[in-house]
Amino acid sequence: MKQQTTKMGVLTYVSIATMLVAILAATAMPAMAATDGSSTGSFNLGSGAPTVTEVELYDADHSATVSTLTPTTEFAVKFTAGDANTIADIDAITVVIKAQGYAGTTTDVSYNATYQWTNSGWALIGPIGAQWSCESGIVPTDMTNMSGDWYLNFKLSEAATSEAHWDITVAAVDCGGNTGTNSKLNIPMDFYAEISAVDTSYSFGGVTLGESEKQIIGDDQDVDVTVTANGNFKLYSMSDATWIGNGTGDIATVNPSALNSGEIQLRDGKNATFGDSGCVQVEGGLGYYGINDFGNEEGPTAEVGENRGIYQWLSVASTGLLPDEYQGTYYVQILNA
């Protein structure tokens, strides 16, 4: 019995172990590779077009608006630019200052100028090498705002035409190529002119009593002046009322209307023909008087100025003057036509 019991006990033990293994195998959790997952989403945000508002012309220190433009003077263009994507989305701003009616496709000192702002700052695009200039500029300090104020300070060429009103157009372009524009229109341009003598002295040479229609000696027989004007202009002249003898102090009186004893008469004109000339008036009399055929010179001139030659003739009374070298001053003036 004991041997059998031992065998039975062993057998029993083996059976229990086998059953335990079977139970464990039946209740184990299934194997899994992952318990969650993800997917990337996306959308394309469109770029809203920038806006430009409140385009205005200011004085150089931005203290007051102004109503007219003046050549060689500094002004400022002020405008507000905005963008719903923030103004950091604005890629460039172009300011075109242009005479109305100008249809040219290139910049011209007399008719237009172009400025541009980028992240590098303001710059004059054209005309390069002219008197137009980019003086300074102010940009918004916080580019994360939806809008901000820009200022462009500039100077005009002295040849910027006064024969038309001017427009200022501002165009803002964002990084997506969208554009917003606005303008300040119908700004008058003041007349500007200057004149200087090329021939600072001239001579009729030797003259006899009673001689008339004596021309200036020299190759071109005229008085050359340089004129610069931004519009149509006239030339006027005037003489000292008396020409004085250097050695004797004798006085030769300039008489525009007659030629009496002790008097001289001057005539001038645009053409080299005496018959086309007119009498030169005198200081203290009629003063400056229009030079014949210089009554409507077309402007604007070149920015560096243009030459005008004024022919002149001298007539001397037949009596009443001492032999001497007489000198006097001849004046030329430029005015708006």
Side-chain angles (χ1 to χ4, degrees):
M1 291 294 292
K2 184 174 183 181
Q3 181 179 1
Q4 187 179 2
T5 301
T6 302
K7 289 181 179 180
M8 289 179 63
V10 172
L11 290 173
T12 301
Y13 171 80
V14 173
S15 298
I16 291 172
T18 302
M19 291 177 61
L20 180 59
V21 172
I23 292 171
L24 289 175
T27 59
M29 296 294 292
M32 300 183 64
T35 59
D36 57 15
S38 64
S39 178
T40 301
S42 68
F43 65 92
N44 294 323
L45 178 64
S47 177
T51 59
V52 178
T53 58
E54 301 177 21
V55 180
E56 191 55 81
L57 183 65
Y58 275 79
D59 56 17
D61 59 5
H62 312 161
S63 61
T65 59
V66 294
S67 58
T68 61
L69 289 164
T70 304
T72 74
T73 303
E74 182 177 346
F75 294 95
V77 177
K78 179 261 181 182
F79 58 91
T80 301
D83 195 300
N85 303 101
T86 75
I87 54 178
D89 187 46
I90 297 177
D91 190 50
I93 298 174
T94 302
V95 177
V96 177
I97 305 171
K98 185 174 83 70
Q100 292 181 348
Y102 178 66
T105 57
T106 58
T107 53
D108 186 299
V109 294
S110 294
Y111 299 103
N112 67 341
T114 301
Y115 297 84
Q116 190 173 75
W117 172 87
T118 63
N119 287 330
S120 299
W122 283 105
L124 172 65
I125 303 302
I128 301 300
Q131 293 172 343
W132 288 90
S133 67
C134 181
E135 297 298 309
S136 62
I138 296 177
V139 301
T141 56
D142 188 351
M143 301 300 280
T144 64
N145 288 335
M146 298 299 107
S147 67
D149 293 337
W150 272 260
Y151 287 88
L152 162 65
N153 279 50
F154 67 98
K155 277 187 179 180
L156 299 88
S157 166
E158 62 187 27
T161 182
S162 63
E163 298 300 311
H165 284 197
W166 287 65
D167 298 336
I168 299 174
T169 299
V170 181
V173 180
D174 67 11
C175 297
N178 302 302
T179 303
T181 64
N182 212 325
S183 300
K184 173 76 175 179
L185 305 176
N186 298 315
I187 306 171
M189 179 73 71
D190 292 331
F191 178 75
Y192 176 89
E194 62 184 45
I195 188 168
S196 61
V198 177
D199 296 327
T200 56
S201 65
Y202 62 96
S203 175
F204 294 99
V207 182
T208 60
L209 287 171
E211 189 169 355
S212 63
E213 302 179 20
K214 177 72 173 181
Q215 277 193 279
I216 296 170
I217 61 173
D219 293 338
D220 52 9
Q221 296 184 305
D222 62 10
V223 178
D224 289 318
V225 296
T226 298
V227 295
T228 304
N230 70 336
N232 298 340
F233 61 93
K234 299 178 181 180
L235 294 183
Y236 296 76
S237 67
M238 178 180 70
S239 169
D240 283 343
T242 59
W243 287 37
I244 309 300
N246 281 340
T248 63
D250 193 28
I251 295 175
T253 301
V254 180
N255 189 339
S257 57
L259 192 58
N260 304 311
S261 179
E263 294 178 344
I264 62 174
Q265 189 174 85
L266 298 169
R267 295 178 70 90
D268 60 7
K270 180 178 181 179
N271 302 319
T273 305
F274 181 80
D276 293 333
S277 65
C279 286
V280 178
Q281 302 300 315
V282 297
E283 190 174 17
L286 294 179
Y288 281 106
Y289 201 78
I291 302 174
N292 274 21
D293 297 315
F294 273 120
N296 190 15
E297 293 293 291
E298 186 176 353
T301 66
E303 194 176 58
V304 295
E306 295 176 2
N307 184 82
R308 295 293 188 273
I310 306 169
Y311 292 94
Q312 194 177 114
W313 293 265
L314 170 69
S315 296
V316 181
S318 58
T319 60
L321 291 171
L322 294 171
D324 204 342
E325 180 186 20
Y326 291 82
Q327 289 186 344
T329 302
Y330 173 73
Y331 306 90
V332 181
Q333 183 183 60
I334 184 170
L335 294 174
N336 192 7

